[in-house]
């Protein structure tokens, strides 16, 4: 069978939630029907190395050689892990009760590609996970090599380092050393999100899966803070992220119109570059007038832009308000909430989307 994973983008940084929950495939056991044996082979080897390096978190904490900060971070993560199962009714298994030292900054690197004059991703389809918009590589050199081959075909390409992933319950997923620099709450939210995927997942519906898991992450984090007597999270960071995402989505819509329009290819290329400059100008205006010059997105926006780099935006929060409404309908009962989520997930895609729209 094929195994699929939810990946987290490089960071830490304010764009993490945009890129965190992407779903490439991990083909470990059966390679039947797939010609990319080399690709699957490196995934199998990378996953096996990760599994072999796992250690129980309690042993890492008890080891006197473990740095104090890591020990503290893991102890906090285990408190969040217990809360996830006891209070959020998420799976009670060994996932995130293990630790792996990767000895590198990222666990995998993702490669995205689109045609030069289209925002349609180059997809890769697999028996269980369905079609996904990128491929993951355990070696940075392999990712760069794959990206170079795609560029030679005239495609727009983007490579992104990934700090963490979940196998959606196929394996007992560890906390990774690449996550060790995260804040305690960020690590807890990852645990809530990925365990939500383990609780329920629908093939070929990224918007549903990620909106559902994002809601569990957000509501779970709110309840986790309440349980510890902490104040609600401030709205400034989330509002900036949402504003930035809206800028990207508006730019993407304009690009769609350019690519679908009557211009010849040469003029479409010129309009494409003009659009990227417009996006940077709009970003600078918002940054300086509304964010007090906060430059947290500068590195991303001023690095080279192309279609592939815009792909992940707007996919992962679309239905969060619908799941929030569903949670209210069951009066905050997590078990009933998951039952209703599963009922939605079993509907045909069109009916599922219509039901979510009604909840909105």
């Amino acid at each position: 069978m094929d195994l699929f994973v939810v990946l987290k983008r490089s960071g830490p940084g304010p764009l993490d939630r945009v890129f965190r929950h992407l779903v490439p495939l991990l083909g470990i056991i059966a390679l039947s029907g797939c010609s990319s044996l080399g690709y699957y082979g490196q995934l199998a080897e990378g996953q096996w190395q990760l599994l072999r390096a796992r250690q129980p978190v309690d042993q890492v904490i008890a080891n006197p050689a473990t740095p104090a900060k890591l020990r503290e971070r893991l102890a906090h993560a285990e408190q969040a892990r217990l809360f996830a199962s006891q209070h959020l009714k998420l799976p009670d298994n060994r996932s995130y009760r293990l630790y792996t030292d990767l000895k590198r900054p990222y666990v995998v690197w993702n490669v995205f590609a689109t045609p030069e004059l289209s925002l349609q991703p180059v997809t890769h389809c697999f028996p269980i996970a369905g079609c996904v918009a990128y491929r993951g590589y355990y070696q940075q050199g392999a990712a760069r090599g794959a990206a170079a081959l795609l560029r030679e075909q005239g495609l727009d390409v983007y490579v992104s380092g990934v700090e963490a992933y979940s196998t959606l319950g196929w394996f007992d997923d560890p906390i990774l050393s690449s996550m060790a620099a995260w804040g305690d709450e960020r690590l807890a939210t990852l645990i809530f999100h990925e365990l939500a995927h383990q609780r329920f997942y629908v093939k070929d519906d990224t918007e549903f899966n990620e909106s559902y898991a994002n809601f569990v992450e957000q509501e779970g984090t709110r309840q986790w803070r309440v349980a510890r007597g902490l104040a609600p999270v401030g709205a400034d960071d989330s509002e900036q992220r949402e504003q930035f995402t809206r800028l990207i989505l508006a730019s993407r819509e304009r690009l769609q119109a350019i690519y679908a329009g009557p211009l010849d290819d040469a003029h479409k290329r010129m309009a494409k570059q003009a659009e990227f400059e417009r996006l940077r100008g709009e970003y600078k205006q918002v940054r300086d007038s509304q964010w007090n010059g906060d430059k947290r997105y500068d590195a991303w926006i001023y690095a080279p832009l192309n279609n592939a780099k815009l792909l992940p935006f707007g996919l992962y929060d679309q239905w969060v308000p619908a799941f929030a409404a569903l949670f209210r309908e069951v009066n905050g009962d997590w078990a009933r909430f998951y039952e209703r989520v599963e009922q939605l997930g079993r509907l045909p895609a069109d009916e599922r989307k219509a039901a979510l729209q009604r909840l909105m």
Side-chain angles (χ1 to χ4, degrees):
M1 68 183 72
D2 289 311
L3 309 177
F4 47 105
V5 298
V6 177
L7 295 182
K8 186 172 186 1
R9 182 197 178 266
S10 60
L15 290 182
D16 287 342
R17 287 191 60 215
V18 174
F19 290 91
R20 187 168 76 201
H21 311 297
L22 311 173
V23 189
L25 190 75
L26 193 58
I28 299 240
I29 299 177
L31 303 178
S32 59
C34 179
S35 59
S36 301
L37 297 183
Y39 172 72
Y40 277 92
Q42 64 90 24
L43 286 179
E45 181 181 0
Q47 176 66 17
W48 174 240
Q49 290 176 353
L50 185 150
L51 294 176
R52 284 193 308 174
R54 293 177 303 178
Q55 303 175 64
V57 164
D58 56 358
Q59 291 182 16
V60 179
I61 293 173
N63 187 343
T66 300
K69 190 171 185 62
L70 176 59
R71 188 182 299 116
E72 180 182 350
R73 183 64 41 79
L74 292 176
H76 184 89
E78 290 310 280
Q79 294 173 10
R81 180 65 184 83
L82 186 64
F83 183 86
S85 294
Q86 291 186 346
H87 296 273
L88 307 182
K89 309 303 179 185
L90 291 167
D92 189 3
N93 54 32
R94 295 182 71 223
S95 289
Y96 308 108
R97 290 180 168 128
L98 303 164
Y99 175 75
T100 293
D101 185 354
L102 293 171
K103 305 185 186 304
R104 61 180 186 268
Y106 300 117
V107 59
V108 293
W109 285 261
N110 278 347
V111 179
F112 302 82
T114 70
E116 180 190 13
L117 299 175
S118 171
L119 285 161
Q120 187 66 32
V122 175
T123 57
H124 310 276
C125 298
F126 306 95
I128 292 178
C131 297
V132 295
Y134 42 84
R135 277 187 160 186
Y137 295 83
Y138 276 90
Q139 299 295 327
Q140 186 178 24
R144 288 177 172 173
L149 290 175
L150 292 168
R151 290 190 185 100
E152 287 181 0
Q153 299 173 32
L155 299 173
D156 278 11
V157 183
Y158 180 55
V159 179
S160 173
V162 175
E163 288 179 314
Y165 67 71
S166 165
T167 57
L168 304 181
W170 287 99
F171 297 113
D172 297 323
D173 297 313
I175 297 169
L176 301 173
S177 57
S178 52
M179 302 150 60
W182 298 355
D184 290 339
E185 188 157 296
R186 183 175 171 220
L187 185 52
T189 62
L190 171 77
I191 290 170
F192 301 156
H193 187 107
E194 306 305 353
L195 288 175
H197 281 309
Q198 290 191 17
R199 180 68 179 75
F200 189 68
Y201 191 88
V202 178
K203 177 182 176 180
D204 271 340
D205 197 336
T206 298
E207 292 89 346
F208 178 91
N209 293 324
E210 298 307 331
S211 295
Y212 148 67
N214 275 340
F215 170 75
V216 174
E217 170 188 326
Q218 293 168 22
E219 178 60 21
T221 300
R222 187 192 69 79
Q223 294 187 14
W224 173 232
R225 292 183 67 85
V226 169
R228 292 179 295 149
L230 300 178
V233 178
D236 289 348
D237 286 351
S238 60
E239 176 59 26
Q240 281 186 238
R241 183 177 60 248
E242 290 171 4
Q243 284 183 296
F244 186 75
T245 299
R246 287 196 294 269
L247 288 175
I248 301 299
L249 293 180
S251 180
R252 202 165 66 181
E253 288 183 7
R254 293 191 294 267
L255 285 169
Q256 292 274 33
I258 291 169
Y259 300 148
L263 296 176
D264 60 30
D265 286 355
H267 285 88
K268 285 181 179 179
R269 292 187 184 97
M270 294 173 59
K272 172 184 177 181
Q273 295 308 313
E275 175 53 41
F276 288 145
E277 289 308 308
R278 174 178 173 176
L279 172 60
R280 291 189 174 108
E282 291 180 347
Y283 162 77
K284 185 176 186 299
Q285 182 178 10
V286 170
R287 182 197 68 188
D288 295 343
S289 64
Q290 299 183 41
W291 301 348
N292 297 318
D294 188 329
K295 297 183 178 181
R296 67 181 64 190
Y297 296 102
D298 277 19
W300 191 93
I301 199 76
Y302 291 119
L305 293 174
N306 62 31
N307 297 328
K309 196 171 181 178
L310 307 186
L311 282 180
F313 286 85
L315 290 176
Y316 308 119
D317 293 291
Q318 179 178 355
W319 301 117
V320 168
F323 287 107
L326 185 62
F327 193 71
R328 290 192 297 269
E329 284 187 4
V330 298
N331 297 315
D333 184 316
W334 282 106
R336 291 176 58 201
F337 171 74
Y338 297 129
E339 289 176 2
R340 293 286 301 277
V341 169
E342 290 177 15
Q343 290 171 6
L344 286 171
R346 287 192 291 267
L347 294 173
D350 291 344
E351 293 181 28
R352 182 164 59 245
K353 184 174 181 179
L356 289 167
Q357 287 175 332
R358 288 193 295 271
L359 284 167
M360 294 277 277

